[in-house]
């Protein structure tokens, strides 16, 4: 089997404020991660250093990565990855997509089968469909193909609303839907596999045979929602320990208030047969963070 490339160490950058909260369907899970707080600010810079490393495996296939390493073309690794990010002025979502990729690999331990970035031939390409496709092993004979959906909005609720709306469209769209995406994976996932035996094993998981009745593979969704956190001047003036406790409590309350809303979205679109893995992170001045992050990832900041 293929293994995740993002290690558990990635999670050291976050307080894990809500751990695998089980939603009403008894399958789906929500996790709230808060970026480590330093001097009354979220410690974005150390997180960005970590993301600069992981953007390579996010943007490049394993075969691309391996070939460059074997040929000792180390300088091209980052350059090729940087080129696949859109310019920050028109880049609404790739920072969130990278974060979702890292959470699905490190926390969920679901290795990548495909990301949109793998399919780009230039940074201006816009690839429709899921933000990424991952494979989750539940047991020896039970698997899930996890499709990624990332949103960054001013409020947590708005991000959730947009995410579930996009998922519903993705499931029901006549062309760019789940079946199209799985066929896309089938066409490209050999770029993530290094040997023929593993390739055949993964193919049986992606396309299980009802005749053999040995493997069960369902579809699931990984959702990332980045949202803005507004702080008044009184909170900003708190001591470091009080600031951390206050902010962590505030964010937890914001997220807990939307548990029922998440369940209502599942009801609204009748998404009862799917499992959802939801990851959320607050930011201070989310629009500024997004733009500066893309600049950094492109080597321009």
């Amino acid at each position: 089997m293929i293994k995740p490339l993002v290690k558990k160490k990635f999670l050291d950058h976050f307080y894990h404020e809500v751990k695998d909260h089980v939603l009403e369907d008894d399958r789906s899970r929500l996790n709230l991660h808060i970026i480590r707080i330093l001097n009354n600010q979220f410690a974005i810079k150390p997180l960005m250093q970590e993301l600069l490393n992981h953007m390579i495996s996010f943007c490049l296939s394993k075969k691309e990565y391996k070939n460059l390493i074997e040929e000792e073309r180390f300088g091209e690794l980052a350059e090729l990855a940087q080129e696949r990010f859109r310019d920050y002025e028109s880049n609404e979502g790739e920072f969130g997509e990278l974060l979702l990729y890292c959470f699905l690999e490190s926390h969920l331990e679901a290795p990548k089968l495909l990301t949109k970035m793998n399919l780009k031939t230039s940074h201006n390409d816009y690839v429709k469909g899921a933000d990424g496709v991952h494979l989750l092993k539940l047991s020896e004979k039970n698997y899930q193909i996890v499709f990624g959906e990332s949103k960054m909005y001013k409020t947590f609720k708005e991000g959730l609303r947009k995410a579930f709306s996009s998922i519903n469209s993705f499931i029901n769209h006549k062309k760019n839907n789940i079946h199209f995406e799985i066929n896309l994976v089938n066409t490209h996932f050999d770029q993530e596999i290094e040997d023929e035996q593993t390739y055949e094993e993964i193919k049986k998981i992606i396309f299980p045979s009802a005749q053999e009745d040995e493997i069960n593979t369902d579809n699931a969704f990984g959702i990332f929602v980045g949202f803005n956190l507004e702080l008044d001047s009184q909170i900003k003036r708190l001591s470091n320990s009080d600031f951390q406790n206050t902010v962590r409590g505030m964010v937890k309350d914001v997220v807990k208030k939307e548990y029922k809303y998440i369940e209502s979205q599942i009801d609204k679109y009748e998404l009862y047969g799917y499992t959802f893995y939801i990851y959320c992170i607050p930011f201070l001045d989310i629009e500024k963070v997004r733009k500066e992050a893309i600049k950094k990832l492109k080597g321009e900041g």
Side-chain angles (χ1 to χ4, degrees), residues 11 19 23 31 39-40 42 51 54 66 75 77 79 91 96 110 116-117 156 188 190 200 235 237 239-240 262 267 275:
L11 301 172
K19 299 182 180 181
L23 296 172
N31 285 273
N39 298 112
N40 292 15
F42 293 134
L51 292 174
H54 298 313
K66 183 181 179 183
L77 283 169
E79 185 178 354
N91 195 328
K116 291 193 310 188
M117 308 299 272
F156 181 49
H188 293 89
D190 63 310
E200 292 301 326
I235 293 175
R237 291 190 178 97
S239 67
N240 296 150
I262 295 169
D267 289 336
T275 300

Side-chain angles (χ1 to χ4, degrees), residues 86-102:
R86 293 170 64 87
D87 295 330
Y88 75 91
E89 293 95 340
S90 60
N91 195 328
E92 294 294 328
E94 288 175 348
F95 176 49
E97 292 167 23
L98 174 56
L99 284 166
L100 176 59
Y101 160 77
C102 290

Side-chain angles (χ1 to χ4, degrees), residues 154-280:
K154 187 174 182 180
T155 68
F156 181 49
K157 189 170 188 175
E158 181 68 1
L160 289 168
R161 186 181 72 80
K162 292 287 188 178
F164 278 101
S165 176
S166 293
I167 288 169
N168 179 62
S169 297
F170 177 60
I171 291 171
N172 294 298
H173 200 277
K174 290 182 179 180
K175 293 184 178 180
N176 296 304
N177 53 31
I178 283 183
H179 304 294
F180 171 82
E181 201 79 11
I182 290 176
N183 285 326
L184 200 62
V185 170
N186 184 41
T187 305
H188 293 89
F189 85 93
D190 63 310
Q191 295 300 307
E192 301 293 332
I193 311 297
E194 296 182 16
D195 62 272
E196 187 66 26
Q197 181 181 344
T198 303
Y199 176 83
E200 292 301 326
E201 289 175 358
I202 299 295
K203 196 160 187 175
K204 284 183 179 180
I205 294 169
I206 297 174
F207 297 100
S209 169
Q211 297 293 322
E212 295 177 8
D213 198 27
E214 292 181 352
I215 295 173
N216 181 63
T217 304
D218 289 308
N219 298 321
F221 288 92
I223 298 174
F224 171 78
V225 178
F227 60 97
N228 201 58
L229 183 65
E230 297 283 352
L231 300 179
D232 61 35
S233 58
Q234 188 174 357
I235 293 175
K236 292 177 182 178
R237 291 190 178 97
L238 292 173
S239 67
N240 296 150
S241 59
D242 287 344
F243 179 88
Q244 183 184 138
N245 292 334
T246 299
V247 168
R248 291 175 67 173
M250 282 178 61
V251 175
K252 192 172 183 178
D253 288 342
V254 167
V255 170
K256 287 172 68 175
K257 286 178 182 177
E258 305 305 341
Y259 288 168
K260 291 294 183 184
Y261 181 74
I262 295 169
E263 291 155 5
S264 75
Q265 292 294 291
I266 295 173
D267 289 336
K268 176 181 178 180
Y269 297 113
E270 298 185 354
L271 301 171
Y272 303 120
Y274 299 93
T275 300
F276 298 92
Y277 302 100
I278 302 173
Y279 295 91
C280 47

Side-chain angles (χ1 to χ4, degrees), residues 83-86 94 116-117 119-127 298:
E83 288 175 354
R84 294 189 184 177
F85 285 95
R86 293 170 64 87
E94 288 175 348
K116 291 193 310 188
M117 308 299 272
L119 305 180
K120 286 188 172 187
T121 56
S122 80
H123 74 282
N124 284 321
D125 283 355
Y126 180 77
V127 183
K298 286 186 69 65

Side-chain angles (χ1 to χ4, degrees), residues 115-116 127-133 147-149 170 181:
T115 65
K116 291 193 310 188
V127 183
K128 294 182 178 180
D131 294 334
V133 185
F147 298 92
E149 184 64 44
F170 177 60
E181 201 79 11

